[in-house]
Amino acid sequence: MAESHFVGNIIGATGFPNSELCCKWIIIAGDDWRLLEGESHGQTHVDLPQDKTHTFWGHPIDVHYATKTIQGWPKIQFQDSFGLLEDGYGFVNVPASPGTHYIDCVTWRPAGSFIDWLWSFFLGVTPQLRNLDLIHSPTDRFRLSTITMGKIHLEISVITRNFENYGVQM
C-alpha cells in the first residue's frame, strides 16, 4: 500500500478577538485511508499570552496513513474556543507534495441573527454550528452567513512512499 506520514505542529494563532484560546483539531481522511500510527484528533492547551496578540501552542501532529488511492486526501479541521465559547472554525487540505509546508488557516464563525448578535454583545455567547461536517464539506456551507475570525498557523512536513506503485507521481 502507499503510505503518507504527516509530521508537524500547530504553531499558534493570530487575529482573534480573544487571544486566550485552545484549539480542537481532527484529521479527516477518505474511507480508503487507514490510520497506521498516531492520533488523528486532539486539543491544544489554553494559552494565556501576555501580549494579547499572538497565541502560541506548539502542539505536535504526527500521523501515518496507508492507502491505495489519492481520493479522500486528508484535511485538518480546526475549532478554536475559550471555555464554552466557540471563536472560530476552519480547515486546510494537507499538501500533497512531499516537503515542509507553512500554512495559514483562515477561520470564521456563523454570523447569526440580530438576537444572536445581542447575546454575543451582552453575554459573549456566539452562535455555534450544530453539524461540524459543514466546516470541511461544501454541501450546505454556501448558505451560511459568516464573520472572519483569525488565522491558525501550521507547519507540516509530508513524507510519501510507494505512490508510484499505484500510478501516482508525487
Side-chain angles (χ1 to χ4, degrees):
M1 293 186 92
E3 298 177 39
S4 290
H5 198 157
F6 308 120
V7 182
N9 73 78
I10 303 170
I11 298 169
T14 56
F16 284 88
N18 182 359
S19 60
E20 301 171 348
L21 297 170
C22 71
C23 178
K24 295 178 188 174
W25 59 273
I26 183 169
I27 298 177
I28 299 165
D31 294 334
D32 293 328
W33 288 71
R34 188 169 46 106
L35 182 65
L36 298 176
E37 292 180 282
E39 294 291 329
S40 63
H41 63 282
Q43 179 173 329
T44 68
H45 63 278
V46 176
D47 186 28
L48 303 172
Q50 292 181 358
D51 70 359
K52 303 290 184 196
T53 59
H54 294 81
T55 301
F56 296 101
W57 293 312
H59 186 82
I61 294 176
D62 187 355
V63 292
H64 188 183
Y65 283 97
T67 185
K68 291 183 180 178
T69 178
I70 61 170
Q71 288 182 328
W73 190 269
K75 50 188 107 184
I76 305 175
Q77 176 178 297
F78 298 101
Q79 183 178 352
D80 289 315
S81 61
F82 180 72
L84 299 174
L85 306 177
E86 304 297 328
D87 282 329
Y89 303 98
F91 82 95
V92 294
N93 291 305
V94 175
S97 60
T100 300
H101 307 272
Y102 294 90
I103 303 168
D104 288 338
C105 175
V106 178
T107 61
W108 51 270
R109 72 168 175 83
S113 65
F114 179 71
I115 300 297
D116 294 327
W117 179 83
L118 287 175
W119 276 87
S120 176
F121 184 79
F122 290 110
L123 301 175
V125 178
T126 58
Q128 299 177 11
L129 293 178
R130 292 183 186 169
N131 180 3
L132 295 181
D133 289 340
L134 288 175
I135 299 170
H136 67 273
S137 172
T139 318
D140 288 330
R141 196 173 49 210
F142 68 92
R143 296 181 190 190
L144 289 175
S145 176
T146 62
I147 297 170
T148 302
M149 296 307 287
K151 291 181 182 178
I152 297 171
H153 309 290
L154 174 71
E155 173 191 19
I156 192 156
S157 295
V158 178
I159 303 165
T160 60
R161 185 176 135 193
N162 296 332
F163 273 91
E164 60 278 351
N165 296 347
Y166 294 92
V168 178
Q169 195 137 28
M170 299 303 271

